[in-house]
Amino acid sequence: MTADSAHAAAAAQPRCPAHAARIPLHGAEFSQDPARFYADLREHGPVAKVELAPGVPASLVTDYSAALTVLRDPISFPRDPHHWQRSLPPTASMIAAMAFQPLCLIVDDSAHARLRGAMSDGLDRVDPTLLRASVERSADLLIDEFIGAGRAELLADYAAVLPTLVLAQLYGASAGLGKRLMAGAVRAKNRSPHRTAVDLHESVSELVAYKRARRGTDVTSAMLDHPAELTDEEVVDQLTALGYGVEPLQNWITNSLRLLLSDERFAGAVSGSVVVEDVLTEVLWADPPIANHAPMFPVRDVEVQGVPLPAHQPVLISFAAANTDPELAVGQERAGNRAHLAFGAGPHSCPAQAPARVIATVGIERLLDRLPDLELAVPADRLTWRPGPYHRALAGLPVRFTAVGARSTSDRSTPRAPEPDTVHLPRPTARPTPSESDGEETGPAWWQSLTRWWRDR
């Protein structure tokens, strides 16, 4: 079904006036060819009527300049969904993805400044050099498991696990908690989003309780020590929100690998002739992992570029459509250009952009270094995309390469990465590290424990 026929079919269904003539963003047709739908949506002006799920209407901003206007105006377009949420039945599928949570990405005003400040300050203190070393070592741990097979499923075996393994170190997790977080990442593809979120929240709650008594040099401890004086539950909520970023990050990695391995513009990239960061930036412009989101709920009827928007009804930003707005195409160079909206804009933009870029860049570079003849195992047009209105996510990424014997890190000619139990922040004065205070597995022991568990799982 084409975008035009899908639109016609949607309009032909008997619906109440609020749902009339809405273009559906759910189903396989949209996920396989969203560009056709975005082209159709643009015919309706800078903001179009869409359906996020059967019976769930919304307005979608597809124009770049209009998107910036909305994202930068939290007064007219607050994030609080309480009024809208009360209008939906308890079983509505959209509640889980758009419901209120006390997160810095959702709350507004002084509450936002307080929570956002604590999270941003904690992330800003991460040493990018040590983070890069951590990603390299994490990548090697995962690559060692399939390098001898000559084939791999890079979504399940690599991209879905790498961000979680690094995140466990950013959090300052013990080896035991690191194992549970990794196991949750492996299970997430076959479990409900709600159950996965509950598991993550429970694990982070345990971590925060542990760190409250035994500080370390990690993001969790930095947030607990922040002048904003967050409660334990507030720290848990913000770290859980950071964990929600694992899925967009894995999709950014797989979307970039797909582009790099299938687009003739990047032929020879595996041998180093193309900068990986340019490929990552191209994906953020053309195929962002979060395609449509940032729900906002105007408290009164408003207009955006002449389009009326009703009070209390969701207004979403199409990052994918705005980034590919034809008005931006003339004379625009994407390489090195970070004016895209893939991380949002305004006060609620993503606070973890810098570490996410390091994880994605180093994760792909390490993979290409170790598997220089990496190629897709199926034609690119046979890859399938997971349905859903919010993400741009492959269902899998099978690849093949020349099988080689897995080597330990110490056997490689490339520099050996440090062996941290966490990605360290500047050490606080006169405060013991976890290894000094409680005997938890740290350094090489952390990695040895994770390696044994990963190989025996």
Side-chain angles (χ1 to χ4, degrees):
M1 181 183 293
T2 66
D4 289 339
S5 60
H7 181 199
Q13 296 296 318
R15 302 182 183 184
C16 70
H19 298 161
R22 294 187 177 272
I23 297 178
L25 301 186
H26 49 86
E29 294 86 2
F30 171 71
S31 63
Q32 287 299 118
D33 191 9
R36 296 285 298 276
F37 279 72
Y38 296 141
D40 193 21
L41 288 166
R42 291 191 188 97
E43 296 298 318
H44 296 257
V47 185
K49 296 178 179 180
V50 298
E51 186 180 67
L52 302 176
V56 182
S59 298
L60 188 70
V61 181
T62 59
D63 177 88
Y64 183 91
S65 63
L68 276 178
T69 297
V70 172
L71 288 168
R72 291 172 173 171
D73 185 3
I75 303 301
S76 301
F77 297 94
R79 294 295 180 98
D80 190 343
H82 276 109
H83 190 284
W84 170 80
Q85 205 170 315
R86 287 193 293 268
S87 70
L88 296 178
T91 56
S93 62
M94 290 298 104
I95 286 182
M98 296 170 62
F100 176 80
Q101 299 178 69
L103 309 178
C104 67
L105 296 175
I106 295 178
V107 298
D108 294 296
D109 303 323
S110 60
H112 168 262
R114 178 171 169 271
L115 297 176
R116 173 70 179 236
M119 177 178 281
S120 296
D121 288 350
L123 291 171
D124 287 347
R125 290 175 59 196
V126 174
D127 185 322
T129 301
L130 292 177
L131 176 58
R132 183 180 183 93
S134 173
V135 180
E136 289 178 347
R137 190 170 179 86
S138 301
D140 285 335
L141 168 66
L142 301 176
I143 295 168
D144 280 347
E145 292 306 300
F146 56 73
I147 194 170
R151 305 182 72 88
E153 209 305 292
L154 287 184
L155 175 58
D157 297 338
Y158 190 71
V161 188
L162 177 64
T164 302
L165 182 54
V166 176
L167 190 67
Q169 297 163 74
L170 282 169
Y171 283 173
S174 66
L177 180 57
K179 295 171 191 174
R180 291 196 295 280
L181 289 170
M182 288 178 66
V186 173
R187 294 192 304 266
K189 284 181 63 180
N190 300 317
R191 305 186 67 187
S192 71
H194 174 71
R195 183 67 251 173
T196 300
V198 169
D199 288 348
L200 177 62
H201 191 275
E202 290 175 350
S203 296
V204 174
S205 296
E206 177 185 334
L207 169 68
V208 170
Y210 175 82
K211 289 293 180 180
R212 176 64 75 179
R214 304 171 181 84
R215 299 290 207 282
T217 54
D218 48 70
V219 171
T220 306
S221 298
M223 292 185 68
L224 288 169
D225 286 336
H226 196 270
E229 297 183 338
L230 271 59
T231 66
D232 284 13
E233 189 59 29
E234 286 175 328
V235 175
V236 169
D237 287 336
Q238 308 323 303
L239 292 178
T240 300
L242 190 60
Y244 293 158
V246 164
E247 183 176 355
L249 184 49
Q250 76 179 35
N251 295 336
W252 188 16
I253 293 171
T254 52
N255 292 359
S256 299
L257 284 167
R258 169 189 168 274
L259 182 67
L260 191 149
L261 297 175
S262 65
D263 194 310
E264 62 182 13
R265 290 176 297 165
F266 306 114
V270 174
S271 63
S273 62
V274 172
V275 178
V276 168
E277 289 189 5
D278 289 345
V279 178
L280 288 164
T281 300
E282 172 69 15
V283 166
L284 293 179
W285 277 103
D287 224 6
I290 300 179
N292 309 291
H293 207 241
M296 290 158 280
F297 303 84
V299 295
R300 62 186 62 84
D301 293 348
V302 294
E303 285 191 0
V304 172
Q305 294 188 3
V307 179
L309 301 175
H312 307 301
Q313 294 304 302
V315 178
L316 277 70
I317 302 299
S318 178
F319 303 114
N323 284 347
T324 54
D325 185 342
E327 295 297 319
L328 296 176
V330 178
Q332 178 166 289
E333 286 292 334
R334 288 177 175 171
N337 185 341
R338 298 188 181 181
H340 57 75
L341 301 180
F343 290 117
H348 289 286
S349 61
C350 175
Q353 298 179 39
R357 188 173 292 276
V358 172
I359 295 169
T361 301
V362 178
I364 293 178
E365 288 177 345
R366 199 63 169 174
L367 190 70
L368 300 182
D369 287 344
R370 304 235 4 231
L371 307 174
D373 62 348
L374 186 70
E375 63 181 12
L376 294 177
V378 298
D381 58 8
R382 288 181 53 193
L383 296 171
T384 58
W385 300 88
R386 289 169 43 212
Y390 304 132
H391 55 236
R392 181 62 169 159
L394 286 165
L397 188 64
V399 296
R400 60 191 174 211
F401 47 87
T402 300
V404 297
R407 298 168 291 165
S408 66
T409 307
S410 60
D411 293 334
R412 298 189 190 107
S413 58
T414 51
R416 184 176 181 178
E419 300 177 328
D421 65 312
T422 65
V423 177
H424 291 291
L425 307 177
R427 185 180 299 280
T429 303
R431 186 182 296 279
T433 65
S435 60
E436 296 167 335
S437 60
D438 55 50
E440 275 285 312
E441 291 178 323
T442 61
W446 197 98
W447 277 105
Q448 290 164 5
S449 179
L450 264 293
T451 301
R452 287 194 300 269
W453 173 84
W454 182 249
R455 288 173 176 166
D456 295 340
R457 72 195 188 283

